[in-house]
Amino acid sequence: MTATTLDHLVPPEDPTRRIPGNKGIWVGITCEFVEFVVLFAVYFIARSHFPDAFHDGAQRLNIVAGTSITLLMVTSSYCIACSVNAIRLGQQRSAVIWLVAGLVIALGYPVSKVMEINWNLAHGINGESGIFFTVYYYLTFNHLVHATWGILGILWVLARLLFHGYSAEDYAGLEALASYWHATDIIWLVIFPFFYVLA
Amino acid sequence: MPVKDHFAQITAAWLGLVALTLASLGLSEWARDFAWLPLVVAAIMWIKGAIVARCFIEAQVAHPFIARVLQVFIAVAPIALIITAFFGNTVARWASV
C-alpha cells in the first residue's frame, strides 16, 4: 500500500463541521463520558439487584436540593453559552458579564451540596445507610469533583477574558470551557432522575 | 459573512430545560408508583441531553466524531433505565457473579 493509496482512504474533511473549543478538551470530555458510563453501569446493576432499596431510598432524599442543583447547573450552562454567543458577536463586555453570572450561579452548586449533605447527616443518611446511599454518594461526589474542575476552569477563562485574551476571531479557550461545562451539565441531567425522581 | 446572534435560541433552550426539570419534580411527587414512570423519565432525560447538545454545544455543526459521542452518551442512560425497569430480574441474573 503506497502513500497515494492511503490518501484516498482518508475521507476529506467536511468544511461545515467544526470542533467546538479544541481537540484536547474533547479528549477529556470523551474520557469523562466513559468514566460516567462505567459508574452508571454500577448504578443499574445495583438497582436491578436491590429494587426495593432504590424505591425506598429515593423517598428519603431532599428533592429540593436535587432540583436546586439541576436548576443551578442548567442556568450556569445557559449563562456560559450566552458568553460564547456574545464573544462571537464581538461584545467583550457582555461576554464578561455572562461569564461572571455563570461563575456565581455555578458556585451555588457546591454550596447546595454542602447544605444537602448536612441535611442528610441530620436525617441519619450517610455512606453506610445502604446500597442506594452508597451509590448516591459516590456518583454525586464524583460529579461534584468534575464540576469543581469546571469552576476552576471558569476562573481561568474569566481571567483571560478580562485581559482581552479572547476575541470574535479567537475564542477557542472560552468555547472549550463551555463545552466541558455543558458536558458536565448533561451528566448531572442523567444523575438527577436516578436519585431524586425515580422511586 | 456576519455572525448570527443565537441568544433567542439559547434562551428558549434554557426555558425548556427549566420546564422539563419542574415536570420531573411533578412526576416524582404525583406519579411515583406508576409503572410507566421510567418511560417518561427516560424520555425527559434524553430530551434534556439532546437540548444541551444541540443548542449549547451545537452538536449539529460539530465534527462527526463529537456529534456521535454525544448521541451515544445521551442515549445510554435512558436505554439502560428502560431495560432495568422492565427486565430488572434478567439484568440482575446476568450481572450476578
Side-chain angles (χ1 to χ4, degrees):
Chain A
M1 191 177 280
T2 64
T4 316
T5 321
L6 277 173
D7 283 344
H8 287 296
L9 290 175
V10 179
E13 292 254 333
D14 182 350
T16 61
R17 310 297 287 259
R18 50 188 284 279
I19 295 173
N22 53 52
K23 284 181 186 174
I25 199 69
W26 281 100
V27 172
I29 290 170
T30 307
C31 291
E32 186 187 25
F33 281 164
V34 171
E35 178 191 347
F36 275 93
V37 164
V38 174
L39 299 178
F40 293 165
V42 174
Y43 167 88
F44 285 113
I45 291 169
R47 189 179 180 94
S48 63
H49 276 94
F50 306 99
D52 293 339
F54 278 73
H55 181 272
D56 298 338
Q59 299 181 41
R60 289 179 61 195
L61 286 180
N62 186 341
I63 193 161
V64 175
T67 308
S68 304
I69 292 171
T70 308
L71 293 175
L72 288 166
M73 282 301 296
V74 297
T75 307
S76 65
S77 233
Y78 164 68
C79 292
I80 292 172
C82 286
S83 179
V84 173
N85 185 55
I87 198 79
R88 275 181 188 161
L89 296 167
Q91 300 166 352
Q92 212 265 349
R93 190 178 145 78
S94 176
V96 170
I97 292 168
W98 279 115
L99 195 59
V100 169
L103 173 66
V104 171
I105 295 166
L107 285 170
Y109 175 19
V111 172
S112 294
K113 201 71 204 163
V114 168
M115 290 166 70
E116 183 187 8
I117 291 166
N118 284 335
W119 187 92
N120 285 350
L121 294 174
H123 288 78
I125 298 170
N126 57 42
E128 295 174 343
S129 300
I131 182 73
F132 173 83
F133 296 104
T134 305
V135 176
Y136 153 79
Y137 272 118
Y138 87 68
L139 246 177
T140 53
F141 270 138
N142 220 305
H143 186 269
L144 182 63
V145 169
H146 285 262
T148 305
W149 294 340
I151 290 168
L152 293 174
I154 298 173
L155 283 168
W156 169 251
V157 168
L158 179 61
R160 287 209 63 204
L161 192 58
L162 285 169
F163 289 98
H164 297 272
Y166 304 116
S167 64
E169 292 75 36
D170 177 17
Y171 54 88
L174 173 58
E175 195 174 38
L177 175 272
S179 298
Y180 178 80
W181 193 253
H182 299 322
T184 308
D185 185 21
I186 290 176
I187 294 168
W188 178 262
L189 294 178
V190 172
I191 293 174
F192 169 62
F194 278 3
F195 297 107
Y196 301 94
V197 178
L198 290 166
Chain B
M1 198 167 73
V3 181
K4 198 177 162 198
D5 186 357
H6 289 101
F7 179 73
Q9 186 194 359
I10 297 169
T11 304
W14 172 66
L15 289 172
L17 289 168
V18 171
L20 287 169
T21 301
L22 297 177
S24 298
L25 194 64
L27 281 172
S28 73
E29 206 55 38
W30 296 298
R32 185 158 275 192
D33 294 318
F34 288 116
W36 47 260
L37 179 66
L39 274 176
V40 181
V41 170
I44 290 177
M45 199 189 282
W46 183 82
I47 293 168
K48 285 165 99 175
I51 288 175
V52 175
R54 187 171 179 83
C55 302
F56 290 177
I57 302 177
E58 298 175 339
Q60 73 281 9
V61 291
H63 189 279
F65 176 79
I66 292 170
R68 227 166 286 138
V69 164
L70 286 165
Q71 279 171 358
V72 170
F73 184 77
I74 290 163
V76 161
I79 291 169
L81 175 59
I82 292 169
I83 292 171
T84 311
F86 296 102
F87 308 100
N89 290 336
T90 311
V91 174
R93 209 167 49 246
W94 285 354
S96 295
V97 283

